[in-house]
Amino acid sequence: MNHLGKMLMAIGTLVFISGFLIHFLKLGRLPGDILIKKGSSTFYFPIVTSIIVSVVLSAVLFILGKIK
């Protein structure tokens, strides 16, 4: 069970850092993100942001896997 606690703390830290970056660095509004406004409705799809977050999380999880 000790390993589960460490994994939960690592996941919590990653979520906190992700939230911090999104809030203070305006990570959700990168060039390449799709934003469509028509009348009173808005569609936003953060494709570039999603790719960047995916690459960073993959790298972090790869490094955490190697530490074991």
Side-chain angles (χ1 to χ4, degrees), residues 1-53:
M1 281 302 225
N2 191 19
H3 181 66
L4 179 63
K6 288 181 182 180
M7 184 61 78
L8 286 174
M9 287 190 300
I11 291 170
T13 302
L14 289 174
V15 170
F16 175 78
I17 291 171
S18 299
F20 180 83
L21 291 175
I22 290 170
H23 182 71
F24 289 106
L25 297 180
K26 306 295 185 209
L27 188 59
R29 301 288 179 169
L30 295 175
D33 290 347
I34 298 171
L35 178 64
I36 300 172
K37 292 183 181 181
K38 288 194 176 184
S40 63
S41 52
T42 302
F43 175 75
Y44 178 69
F45 185 69
I47 187 95
V48 175
T49 303
S50 299
I51 292 169
I52 291 173
V53 169

